[in-house]
Structures are given as structure tokens and as C-alpha cells.
Amino acid sequence: MVAHQWWAGLGTFLVCRRWGLGVVSSLVGGSLFLAAPYYVAEIGEGHYAQICVLSWVPWAMLAYEGFRAQPSRGWPWVTLVLAVSALAGHFQEAYYLAVTLTVFAVLDAWQEWRRAGREPAALVLTHWFAVGATTAVIAVAEVFPIWRHVQQSLRSSGIAAGDPAQMGVGMANLWQLMNGAALGGPESYQQTGSIGPRSAISDW
Amino acid sequence: MTLSLAVFGVLTQWRRYPVLRCLSIWLLALGFAFGMENAIYGLFQRLVPA
């Protein structure tokens, strides 16, 4: 658990340096990443798998910068990091990371198309497709057993749109960004799935 | 504190890569978090695996 904090902080520091920030700013960046409410909440709950996946997020961003500079040389590194992240034990975060980087790749392809024409843009998209396909082949070892298991569980039909309503945040929770106790404290907690106006935001 | 730094960074460095795309992702995530009342939640609820 501790080693993954260092790994996440180091990765954020390096990606900040890659983006041209100074040493102090990069140190602040690494520290803030580790202090993010989601990260702290996962540590507090002892969700080890989520911590493992999250610690690879800044490294994926760093690998993506290599891909962005030269897709033909950078794509194996992005693939490696995404695959390790997908195999780390909690697929959701790896999925969000892949979606985010795919949006980045499409944006970069669009910028290349405007700047240099169709061929460089196609180069970006082709190599990104290689990233996706290779990552999917590697990640199937993690995803297929999960998929098979879910088919046999009560949640095989997924979650209806209204189900998470009680656990989700609402407009009133914006006050908690200014004051964590604006809508009450720990005494407001009732039970899992019924937490009233209180949300994860108020914890931190 | 973190939010203040983020707002300050966006306001002063919005032209610098990758500030705008990170802001877009953040806004999308915020829209999802405050879902149930907007289209982003409904869209993600259909696209993102449960």
C-alpha cells in the first residue's frame, strides 16, 4: 500500500516535469494527487486494488506523452501501462483511464489533421487502435473471468439509472465544497445506500 | 485549497497544454457526479459498464 503511494507520487512528479513544470510545482502536483479525496477515501477503506490501479494513472499519462510525440515508438509503452493497470485488480478505473486517453488520442488526431493533413492523423489513430487491441488481448485474462462471474450474480442485468440515486450527490452537496459539515456530520450516516444528504465529499 | 489551486491554474494557464483537455475531463466527471438531473449521467449510465 505504501509503495503504491510512492509510485503514484513519483509518476505524477515525472509527468508534471514532462509538461514543463518546475521541480517545486511538480512536487506539489505529486502531493496533491495523493491528497485527492478519491485516493484518500480508497486508502481509508483499505481498497488495495483501487490504489494499485490508480497508481498507474500518472504513468499512463506519461506514456501517452511519449505516444503523442511519436506514435510509432510510444504505443508499446502506453499499451504496457494500460495492460498493467487493467490487470491490477479493479477494472473500472482502468476502463475510465482508457476512455480518457482515447478522448485525448482523438483530439490529437484531429489537431494533427488540421495541422498537417490526413496522413499524420491516420497514423495517430492507427497506432491508438493497436494500443486498444493489444491491451484488450492482454486484459482479457482479467476481464473474462469477471464477466463470467457477473453473469452468475444478481447484478447480471446491471444497475438501473435510478438505483444509485440515494448514494449520488446532488446540487445541495456543492455547499460541502465550501464547508464539509454544511449538510451534517458523521451522525447523519444511516446505513449503506441511505446516507441522506451526506456524501463522500463531506468526508474530506 | 485544491479547488482554489485548480481554478487559479485554469484561469492563468488555460492556453497551455494540457490544461483545457484536463478541464474538459474534469467538467465531464463533475457532470457525471451530479448526474440524475442531466444528460451526462444518462449517457454514461448506458455506455459505462456497471
Side-chain angles (χ1 to χ4, degrees), chain B residues 9-22:
Chain B
V10 167
L11 289 177
T12 58
Q13 302 290 325
W14 65 274
R15 282 178 178 275
R16 192 170 173 171
Y17 171 84
V19 175
L20 270 187
R21 62 177 65 183
C22 285

Side-chain angles (χ1 to χ4, degrees), chain A residues 10-87:
Chain A
L10 176 66
T12 309
F13 174 82
L14 292 176
V15 77
C16 286
R17 293 291 289 156
R18 176 75 185 238
W19 285 335
L21 301 182
V23 174
V24 174
S25 300
S26 301
L27 278 172
V28 171
S31 305
L32 287 179
F33 181 76
L34 296 181
Y38 182 82
Y39 210 94
V40 176
E42 297 292 4
I43 295 167
E45 293 291 332
H47 291 170
Y48 181 59
Q50 283 90 325
I51 297 298
C52 293
V53 181
L54 287 171
S55 71
W56 286 99
V57 170
W59 292 95
M61 293 291 180
L62 187 61
Y64 182 80
E65 289 305 312
F67 173 87
R68 192 167 177 265
Q70 200 170 353
S72 57
R73 290 187 66 180
W75 79 268
W77 296 107
V78 189
T79 304
L80 181 68
V81 176
L82 279 178
V84 170
S85 149
L87 296 174

Side-chain angles (χ1 to χ4, degrees), chain A residues 138-162:
Chain A
I138 299 171
V140 76
E142 174 82 8
V143 177
F144 184 71
I146 294 173
W147 180 78
R148 285 292 298 162
H149 183 72
V150 167
Q151 296 306 306
Q152 298 167 32
S153 75
L154 289 173
R155 279 181 53 186
S156 59
S157 59
I159 299 174

